[in-house]
Amino acid sequence: MGEQEPDGGKKAAKTTKGTSVKSATEKKATAKKTSAKKTSAKKATAKKATAKKATAKKAPAKKPTAEKAPAKKSAAAGTATAVARKATLGRKKAVVAPKKASAAVKKAPPAKAVAPKPPSSESRTALVRRARRINRELAEVYPYAHPELDFENPFQLLVATVLSAQTTDLRVNQTTPALFAKYPGPEDLAAANPEEVEEILRPCGFFRAKTKSVMGLSKALVEEFGSEVPGRLEDLVKLPGVGRKTAFVVLGNAFGRPGITVDTHFQRLVRRWQWTEETDPDKIEAAVGALFPKSEWTMLSHHVIFHGRRICHSRKPACGACPIAPLCPAYGEGETDPEKAKKLLKYEKGGYPGQRLKPPQAYLDAGGKPAPPLGAG
């Protein structure tokens, strides 16, 4: 039994050693874990420190916000900033608006034959001066201006003027020779067969109505004025088919009494020239008459009507060939190219015959050509 103790002691010693080894191993493992934890903690701490540094570096970038804070606290500064912003926005809108307007103008179609409004800056005195200058210029262009109806006496002029309604003077001049050859005076025409008169007047258009008018006025002349054409406006306008326009043609050209003839050409031109805005013939007559001395009324009518028939046409005025273009507010309504405008000229201005079969000698001397008789060419 005593011999076995040493073996037991050895075993105990071995056990103790084994235990100590395990303890050391566990301690080492624990130490490693602790070290790992410390390392992780250090890394976390380092990351936090890095994040703080990054935050600290970014902080200066936020200084403007910090600087704006005092501005918000100041009411006066805030108001100034708001006003500045509104002004800036206003400037931006002002810059953008013209762009939109110009784009709209580009897309809009060009205006066609629209008569401009009278210049607001033109005084009454300036209007009178401009109107009279236009008449003087036209007098130089048409020194041979005359009534474009053929006639030999007041009766023939009266009948021809009535027939000229809604037709050309040329057509009337081609028709009246046969009429006056068969019915030379009021008595003859008053007693004529209406059907025969209608047949003669057929080329003038509206021949039935015109036959009634010329036969009616002829009868009135015979019964009321002794077969003579009266020389007073109030008497003339009482005759069938005779208005103020017809009366002034007769008074001015057969009796030498001044009058303004407001026909379609006259109305068109005086409105283009902005002498008046009236549309009623009687009001146009009064408005234009107030711009000129009474002694000029008859020749003024001839100048304007001549110009309307030769150059300032209704649909295609020859603006590029117009002698009074610098004085005309409506310049540009027609063709402005000089070469193209020349092709639009009519009668003697375009090298063509006039409207009278027997024109005045002054017209022929100026290069005018007489019209062909009815049925010629």
Side-chain angles (χ1 to χ4, degrees):
M1 295 291 293
E3 290 178 357
Q4 291 178 350
E5 284 179 0
D7 293 334
K10 288 178 182 180
K11 288 180 182 179
K14 286 181 182 178
T15 304
T16 303
K17 285 179 182 179
T19 304
S20 62
V21 170
K22 286 181 182 180
S23 299
T25 303
E26 289 175 357
K27 285 180 182 180
K28 285 180 182 181
T30 304
K32 286 181 180 180
K33 288 180 181 180
T34 304
S35 176
K37 286 179 181 180
K38 287 180 179 179
T39 303
S40 300
K42 285 180 181 180
K43 286 181 180 181
T45 304
K47 285 182 180 180
K48 288 181 181 179
T50 304
K52 284 181 181 179
K53 286 180 181 180
T55 305
K57 287 180 181 180
K58 290 180 181 179
K62 295 181 182 180
K63 282 183 181 178
T65 306
E67 290 175 2
K68 285 182 181 178
K72 290 180 181 178
K73 292 179 182 179
S74 174
T79 305
T81 304
V83 172
R85 286 178 180 173
K86 286 181 180 179
T88 304
L89 290 173
R91 285 196 296 272
K92 287 180 180 178
K93 287 179 180 178
V95 172
V96 173
K99 290 181 180 178
K100 291 180 180 178
S102 61
V105 170
K106 287 180 181 178
K107 292 179 180 178
K112 295 181 181 179
V114 177
K117 294 181 180 179
S120 57
S121 59
E122 188 175 42
S123 64
R124 174 71 181 180
T125 302
L127 171 61
V128 171
R129 288 176 178 172
R130 182 169 64 86
R132 293 184 180 184
R133 185 179 173 187
I134 287 176
N135 188 38
R136 290 195 299 271
E137 295 283 345
L138 294 180
E140 293 181 6
V141 178
Y142 310 106
Y144 48 80
H146 58 276
E148 296 191 85
L149 290 169
D150 283 327
F151 69 98
E152 295 177 359
N153 53 58
F155 173 69
Q156 289 186 0
L157 179 58
L158 177 61
V159 172
T161 305
V162 171
L163 296 178
S164 68
Q166 297 178 313
T167 189
T168 64
D169 287 357
L170 171 59
R171 178 59 62 186
V172 175
N173 291 337
Q174 293 172 330
T175 305
T176 52
L179 179 69
F180 295 141
K182 192 170 184 178
Y183 310 105
E187 310 91 346
D188 306 305
L189 193 54
N193 182 340
E195 293 181 357
E196 292 179 0
V197 177
E198 287 179 359
E199 192 60 31
I200 295 174
L201 300 183
R202 186 179 294 272
C204 290
F206 302 97
F207 57 92
R208 290 190 179 88
K210 290 180 179 180
T211 295
K212 185 177 180 180
S213 294
V214 297
M215 290 187 66
L217 69 86
S218 296
K219 185 177 180 181
L221 289 175
V222 172
E223 295 178 354
E224 299 177 26
F225 300 100
S227 298
E228 296 291 333
V229 177
R232 299 194 312 166
L233 175 64
E234 53 268 31
D235 292 331
L236 286 170
V237 295
K238 293 178 182 178
L239 300 174
V242 178
R244 289 179 67 87
K245 183 195 82 169
T246 299
F248 280 127
V249 170
V250 174
L251 290 174
N253 297 287
F255 294 96
R257 296 176 182 175
I260 295 178
T261 305
V262 185
D263 70 349
T264 55
H265 301 289
F266 194 94
Q267 291 185 49
R268 180 177 72 253
L269 267 62
V270 298
R271 285 177 59 79
R272 277 182 177 169
W273 296 336
Q274 297 177 11
W275 289 1
T276 180
E277 290 185 336
E278 300 293 346
T279 55
D280 179 74
D282 293 349
K283 292 181 179 179
I284 291 175
E285 176 195 325
V288 175
L291 303 176
F292 296 89
K294 192 173 182 178
S295 59
E296 297 182 11
W297 287 357
T298 299
M299 288 309 298
L300 168 68
S301 301
H302 291 325
H303 296 152
V304 174
I305 294 170
F306 253 60
H307 190 62
R309 286 174 172 168
R310 285 151 179 79
I311 296 178
C312 195
H313 311 135
S314 177
R315 295 184 180 178
K316 293 183 179 180
C319 293
C322 181
I324 60 165
L327 301 172
C328 181
Y331 175 79
E333 285 189 17
E335 180 57 63
T336 57
D337 181 80
E339 294 303 319
K340 293 180 180 179
K342 285 181 181 179
K343 297 178 181 179
L344 300 175
L345 300 181
K346 294 182 179 179
Y347 303 113
E348 76 283 351
K349 289 297 178 184
Y352 305 107
Q355 301 199 80
R356 290 189 69 165
L357 278 71
K358 299 177 181 180
Q361 189 61 42
Y363 174 78
L364 297 174
D365 294 341
K369 300 178 182 180
L374 182 63

